[in-house]
Amino acid sequence: MLSIQNLSLDIGNTSILKDIDLKIEQGQVMGLVGESGSGKSMTALAIMQLLPHSSTTTGQINFDDINILDSDENQMCNLRGDDIGMVFQEPMTALNPVKTIGEQIAEGIRFHTGASGKDARERAIEILQQVGLDPMQYGLDRYPHELSGGQRQRVVIAIACAMQPKLLIADEPTTALDVTIQAQILELLQKLVEENNMGLLLISHDLGVIADTADEITIIRSGEIIECGPTMEILRNQSHSYTRQLAKASTHVPVRKTRPVTASTSKKRQTEPLLQVTDLICEYPTKRKSLFTKPKPFRAVDGVTFDIYPGQTLALVGESGCGKSTLAKTLLQVHRPHSGEIVFENKNLLNSNRKEMFAARRHMQIVFQDPYGSFNPRHKVGNIVSEPMHLVNRKATQDELIKALLQVGLSADDLEKYPHEFSGGQRQRLAIARALITKPRLIIADEPVSALDVSIRAQILDLLNELRDNFQISYLFITHDLSVVRAFCDDVMVMNSGKIIETGSVTKLFDNPKDEYTRQLLAAAPDLQRTLGTKPI
Amino acid sequence: MLYYLIRRFTSLLLTLALSTIVIFMVMEIVPGDPALIILGIGATDETLAALREQMGLNLPLMTRYLQWVSGVLVGDLGTSYTYSVPVSELIAERSIVSIPLAIIALTLSTIIAIPTGILAASKRGQIADTGIMGLTQLGIAIPNFWFAMLMVYVFAVMLRWVPAGGFPGWDQGIFNALKSLVLPAVALALPQAAILSRVTRSALLEALGEDYIRTARAKGLTRSMVLWRHALRDALIPVLTIMGLQFAFLLAGTIIIENVFYLPGLGRLIFQAITQRDLIVVESSVVLLVASVILINFMVDIAYALVDPRLQSERS
């Protein structure tokens, strides 16, 4: 149905795609896998002819018997949204905030069929039902901001599938969603493929997702196709070195030289905990609903109690909005908690003065998720890395700065550079160097590898592992990615709506989850090895 | 929606109350004794004291403030020291020039700015865009009094289509009155239109870069449909903001143009009152202007809510 031959794409003078070949049949799911910048999305946009200006394409894209590259804008408008639909990554911004979802779904129907407003609305209701949104509850008059991320993604899918397209292109449709929602959306896409006998081009960086969903797989790197064929065959044989590298990186487990430190072993050895959190409650004020009653505050963290021992890596997992980040910020004293106790190195942080707090903070540092947003772009690396030194009331010496950079695998020459001169992975190394400069004993890592490609992710995990081996650093590792938890952490806490619902060592809890919510979370998480082990070829 | 309106209205009242205090205090602080100014430097101490007593200048601060505010509330703005006529009459007399002038200028500016802004955005980087943006640069850079003089020379002196200045009054026929407002309105509108056109263009371009525009394109909509149906409504918010500010400015900030065209507008009234220490006129007209600006902002707020449903929901 769709056949791409020798597709090459240049934007300006940069070559983005080279000789891409790709075929999709009706009812088939084609997974397109690659790391960021590999040209996955550009392939999709080339099919839709929604490429940025100043791009030139050569080769052939044939859809049924239409030659897409030769079609003019009018022909493309008739094709887009009718025979080819597209779903995008970010459901929060993919819908127009000032129009109702009904208007947005009906719009395409009216454009392509010339249907009356009433007919289009009726059709929109049917489609909403098909994508699993009950029209009684999520009526056409709802605005996007009244829906959650997963629900919005369903609306985006409804828009794309309104005309029952022959081909649906889904560009990282679940990357921005929680694992349980991800599982639901993938299930929905598969259902639509079956019901409408539709072809699906599923673009993802996640081999686990592709292994679960796709019949065929195409692996792409720097604009060139590395390998393609039946998913299970390709992923089991791993005959190409890059495929092997990708698969290995996504299931990478850092080699630990020291023994794991779990809460139970530490208790046995009667080690003093490094951090003790008792009954911590954090609240946010909410909007006043009535003039006469006081608004009830929202409890983001609700009675959380846990300990971290020296050298222990404790994972904190949970879906977005469960209170993970609020907990982290409260530990760092960015927020004041409503009540509870935080004892760090035997000092109660909540009733300590500024000076004591500085001393505590020196031993407690943070690494954030977004390696692009967490540096001042106009500061040099030397400045950035030495920033936390105000906690010890002196400037970092040149030697200390160089040592910190060397520890994270950067070089002394990098001191004079600016953040934009580094790649995403290098920036995350910078963030770690900044955390290391005060010789911390606890690093709070808030989704430190979530924004990174799998191969870079493996390197950063190795680095964090090395630091843990060499300096006996403890980590509070906040993540939604369970495969990282399994690979890297000693203990794990599962958080849901502000409460810790289950705690235990990673192996025990993952193999034998007690709580229903934990079970759901584990079942929903894509797991490459599990899939490869169970799915028939 | 109701909640949003109540909240906006409460803040409107508070701002208004606060502004009366600030205006009153500022007028107290500025040096210059109104009584002395009325009577001239030759006045004796006794006559000065008598006049102060008569004008109520000796009463405590609080009392005078309350007297003034309660007067304003019932429409009694006091009597001008210099003109010896009720201030409300003075202001009304000037408003019938200033308000129509502001409305005409704003309408003109909107009619010019929105289409050119949309055209520039939809032809981004092409000749139309470059041309329009060049003209708007010029429109912002050229001082409007200079442009006004140029227009007077061409349309009043050479072509004799319109009078060079002055205002005959509405009783001389609407057409005649409007004729004398045309040039000032154009002079006022051009720089405003230039700014508004640039704002429209950049707001539209920003909206066109949003993710949901791509979604709309993926639905099959053409470029122009996407622009009219999706981008324009989103771009309206910054445009409305600027329009609100411009209307407020046009009501009273037009003193230079009023002088160029000898128009008896509010700007000149306030200017003369300040130079003559006619405090009561200054206070009252400033309060009225502040009130109208706040009212315009309130209307802009309502317009926001109509454009953006997120503002209507109580949670946001």
Side-chain angles (χ1 to χ4, degrees):
Chain A
M1 174 182 53
L2 177 81
S3 124
I4 302 179
Q5 282 148 24
N6 296 328
L7 174 71
S8 295
L9 165 70
D10 296 274
I11 296 179
N13 292 321
T14 332
S15 166
I16 305 292
L17 297 174
K18 274 166 262 157
D19 288 333
I20 298 288
D21 291 304
L22 195 83
K23 272 197 174 60
I24 301 176
E25 300 301 327
Q26 285 204 314
Q28 187 189 43
V29 181
M30 166 63 85
L32 183 58
V33 183
E35 302 193 283
S36 47
S38 60
K40 308 184 295 271
S41 297
M42 284 302 164
T43 310
L45 293 177
I47 300 171
M48 295 293 275
Q49 284 294 292
L50 287 175
L51 290 164
H53 296 287
S54 78
S55 48
T56 46
T57 37
T58 57
Q60 281 222 321
I61 302 177
N62 288 315
F63 181 76
D64 285 337
D65 28 328
I66 303 165
N67 184 336
I68 284 185
L69 293 185
D70 285 348
S71 303
D72 62 21
E73 183 58 27
N74 272 338
Q75 287 167 306
M76 280 317 296
C77 283
N78 287 330
L79 212 53
R80 283 185 213 123
D82 190 1
D83 288 332
I84 310 178
M86 186 158 177
V87 174
F88 301 94
Q89 173 173 353
E90 195 36 83
M92 301 315 272
T93 54
L95 294 170
N96 190 336
V98 303
K99 290 191 167 229
T100 63
I101 60 174
E103 272 177 273
Q104 299 192 53
I105 298 171
E107 195 176 26
I109 302 170
R110 298 185 65 178
F111 176 78
H112 288 293
T113 62
S116 70
K118 195 170 150 260
D119 291 348
R121 280 179 71 87
E122 271 164 24
R123 176 86 189 98
I125 291 175
E126 280 171 38
I127 299 156
L128 272 183
Q129 234 148 11
Q130 214 185 352
V131 299
L133 285 179
D134 180 8
M136 297 305 287
Q137 205 180 346
Y138 305 103
L140 298 180
D141 304 328
R142 293 283 196 129
Y143 285 99
H145 69 271
E146 298 170 308
L147 305 180
S148 71
Q151 289 164 344
R152 289 190 207 190
Q153 196 63 308
R154 284 176 195 268
V155 174
V156 176
I157 293 173
I159 292 174
C161 294
M163 297 298 298
Q164 299 196 326
K166 293 181 192 156
L167 173 67
L168 181 68
I169 303 171
D171 188 357
E172 304 265 12
T174 58
T175 307
L177 303 172
D178 284 320
V179 280
T180 44
I181 313 292
Q182 161 167 290
Q184 290 166 13
I185 295 288
L186 289 174
E187 201 177 304
L188 168 65
L189 286 174
Q190 276 173 317
K191 185 190 100 171
L192 290 169
V193 166
E194 269 167 40
E195 279 174 8
N196 302 348
N197 194 26
M198 166 178 87
L200 172 65
L201 176 61
L202 180 65
I203 298 174
S204 179
H205 67 281
D206 190 335
L207 274 182
V209 167
I210 297 291
D212 266 343
T213 333
D215 308 317
E216 299 265 321
I217 186 171
T218 301
I219 297 173
I220 183 172
R221 180 178 62 175
S222 332
E224 283 179 277
I225 287 187
I226 299 291
E227 215 176 358
C228 62
T231 309
M232 282 302 129
E233 212 176 294
I234 297 273
L235 291 182
R236 283 215 180 100
N237 297 346
Q238 299 185 2
S239 47
H240 195 284
S241 63
Y242 181 67
T243 311
R244 212 155 40 237
Q245 192 188 321
L246 267 186
K248 230 173 134 186
S250 47
T251 53
H252 178 78
V253 179
V255 185
R256 202 161 173 178
K257 285 191 223 112
T258 51
R259 290 173 57 96
V261 184
T262 62
S264 56
T265 56
S266 302
K267 263 184 213 150
K268 263 183 218 148
R269 279 196 225 114
Q270 293 186 324
T271 339
E272 284 273 303
L274 179 66
L275 173 77
Q276 286 173 288
V277 176
T278 321
D279 261 335
L280 195 68
I281 293 176
C282 307
E283 291 182 335
Y284 287 119
T286 51
K287 265 252 128 65
R288 193 173 265 271
K289 288 251 169 62
S290 140
L291 287 170
F292 307 107
T293 52
K294 256 195 146 179
K296 222 175 142 192
F298 171 69
R299 222 164 239 207
V301 175
D302 192 357
V304 165
T305 304
F306 67 93
D307 296 338
I308 295 181
Y309 292 90
Q312 183 195 7
T313 302
L314 176 62
L316 176 59
V317 299
E319 304 192 349
S320 51
C322 75
K324 294 182 304 225
S325 292
T326 308
L327 177 57
K329 282 183 197 155
T330 313
L331 295 180
L332 288 159
Q333 309 287 304
V334 179
H335 285 312
R336 278 304 283 175
H338 174 263
S339 65
E341 255 184 25
I342 303 173
V343 178
F344 182 65
E345 295 184 307
N346 292 322
K347 260 193 238 83
N348 190 339
L349 293 188
L350 295 180
N351 48 32
S352 49
N353 58 31
R354 224 178 133 73
K355 216 172 132 196
E356 288 166 336
M357 192 101 89
F358 270 24
R361 274 196 184 160
R362 173 196 171 164
H363 286 153
M364 199 198 278
Q365 289 288 330
I366 185 155
V367 174
F368 293 103
Q369 168 175 6
D370 180 8
Y372 292 89
S374 48
F375 303 115
N376 184 331
R378 273 173 274 281
H379 278 192
K380 284 186 181 168
V381 164
N383 252 332
I384 288 171
V385 174
S386 66
E387 228 162 3
M389 289 302 281
H390 77 275
L391 295 173
V392 284
N393 268 328
R394 65 178 176 85
K395 280 223 149 55
T397 63
Q398 194 75 4
D399 285 348
E400 280 174 316
L401 289 175
I402 293 173
K403 208 174 130 203
L405 287 183
L406 292 177
Q407 275 170 355
V408 298
L410 297 171
S411 76
D413 303 338
D414 295 330
L415 274 183
E416 292 300 308
K417 291 186 185 163
Y418 289 94
H420 71 263
E421 297 175 67
F422 296 88
S423 68
Q426 285 173 322
R427 285 182 208 213
Q428 208 56 318
R429 286 172 190 270
L430 268 185
I432 296 169
R434 172 168 66 181
L436 283 178
I437 192 84
T438 55
K439 303 198 175 65
R441 301 194 55 206
L442 172 66
I443 291 182
I444 296 175
D446 192 354
E447 304 270 8
V449 295
S450 301
L452 304 174
D453 280 324
V454 279
S455 49
I456 311 292
R457 171 183 306 194
Q459 291 168 16
I460 295 292
L461 286 180
D462 276 341
L463 170 65
L464 292 172
N465 177 53
E466 200 183 302
L467 296 172
R468 157 170 90 175
D469 277 346
N470 294 345
F471 306 110
Q472 235 221 343
I473 293 175
S474 309
Y475 294 105
L476 177 63
F477 201 95
I478 301 172
T479 183
H480 68 275
D481 187 339
L482 298 178
S483 61
V484 172
V485 174
R486 199 188 272 279
F488 183 74
C489 301
D490 304 320
D491 284 314
V492 58
M493 293 192 286
V494 182
M495 195 168 183
N496 187 18
S497 356
K499 288 196 172 76
I500 303 288
I501 53 169
E502 202 168 355
T503 318
S505 77
V506 169
T507 41
K508 261 192 210 147
L509 193 139
F510 275 32
D511 292 343
N512 189 13
K514 295 266 182 317
D515 191 273
E516 181 53 34
Y517 177 76
T518 317
R519 265 198 288 274
Q520 277 174 20
L521 210 61
L522 285 167
D527 184 333
L528 183 59
Q529 274 172 336
R530 188 180 62 201
T531 313
L532 290 181
T534 55
K535 209 170 174 179
I537 293 181
Chain B
M1 183 71 180
L2 186 68
Y3 222 81
Y4 174 81
L5 286 184
I6 291 173
R7 232 175 42 221
R8 294 278 105 202
F9 195 73
T10 325
S11 87
L12 177 153
L13 290 181
L14 279 175
T15 323
L16 209 53
L18 207 68
S19 64
T20 57
I21 296 175
V22 172
I23 293 163
F24 187 77
M25 290 316 290
V26 168
M27 297 313 295
E28 284 303 312
I29 291 164
V30 287
D33 182 351
L36 188 67
I37 287 166
I38 293 171
L39 294 172
I41 331 172
T44 60
D45 286 350
E46 290 83 55
T47 44
L48 269 178
L51 186 64
R52 280 207 195 99
E53 190 62 43
Q54 187 202 331
M55 290 170 69
L57 290 177
N58 291 335
L59 292 169
L61 203 67
M62 200 58 203
T63 322
R64 276 187 294 141
Y65 171 73
L66 287 177
Q67 272 180 354
W68 173 63
V69 167
S70 53
V72 169
L73 281 179
V74 297
D76 173 16
L77 301 177
T79 308
S80 160
Y81 305 154
T82 46
Y83 299 92
S84 299
V85 286
V87 177
S88 48
E89 250 172 58
L90 272 177
I91 291 178
E93 202 175 276
R94 302 300 184 100
S95 295
I96 55 165
V97 180
S98 278
I99 292 176
L101 181 63
I103 291 174
I104 297 171
L106 189 74
T107 314
L108 257 179
S109 130
T110 312
I111 290 174
I112 301 170
I114 307 262
T116 53
I118 293 174
L119 184 67
S122 63
K123 305 272 179 202
R124 183 187 195 173
Q126 298 174 24
I127 299 171
D129 181 23
T130 325
I132 290 171
M133 283 305 105
L135 283 177
T136 58
Q137 278 285 14
L138 215 61
I140 295 169
I142 291 177
N144 60 0
F145 62 87
W146 180 82
F147 187 69
M149 280 154 40
L150 200 72
M151 283 197 301
V152 168
Y153 182 68
V154 174
F155 296 105
V157 180
M158 282 170 62
L159 298 170
R160 293 179 182 279
W161 289 354
V162 286
F167 184 72
W170 293 100
D171 45 358
Q172 298 296 308
I174 291 181
F175 183 71
N176 278 330
L178 280 179
K179 237 164 91 175
S180 60
L181 288 183
V182 168
L183 288 191
V186 172
L188 285 171
L190 278 181
Q192 310 286 349
I195 295 168
L196 199 59
S197 169
R198 294 182 81 89
V199 171
T200 309
R201 174 182 179 270
S202 62
L204 251 184
L205 285 181
E206 202 187 311
L208 281 171
E210 295 284 345
D211 276 359
Y212 61 77
I213 295 296
R214 206 179 43 185
T215 312
R217 292 277 286 150
K219 256 182 241 178
L221 302 191
T222 62
R223 270 202 195 90
S224 62
M225 286 166 90
V226 165
L227 188 136
W228 288 102
R229 292 197 191 163
H230 286 268
L232 197 59
R233 191 159 162 196
D234 208 47
L236 272 182
I237 287 210
V239 173
L240 284 173
T241 311
I242 301 293
M243 280 174 66
L245 291 174
Q246 290 190 340
F247 190 65
F249 165 80
L250 288 172
L251 271 184
T254 57
I255 176 154
I256 294 176
I257 291 295
E258 281 177 20
N259 269 326
V260 171
F261 291 97
Y262 303 106
L263 288 178
L266 278 174
R268 280 176 83 187
L269 174 71
I270 297 173
F271 176 72
Q272 283 159 359
I274 292 173
T275 50
Q276 291 160 351
R277 296 269 157 238
D278 200 343
L279 292 193
I280 196 86
V281 173
V282 179
E283 273 172 352
S284 302
S285 41
V286 170
V287 162
L288 279 187
L289 284 173
V290 168
S292 60
V293 169
I294 293 173
L295 205 68
I296 290 166
N297 279 341
F298 180 64
M299 291 192 292
V300 171
D301 278 341
I302 295 174
Y304 282 168
L306 292 179
V307 169
D308 192 339
R310 281 170 296 183
L311 293 173
Q312 293 172 26
S313 72
E314 288 182 19
R315 273 175 293 131
S316 60

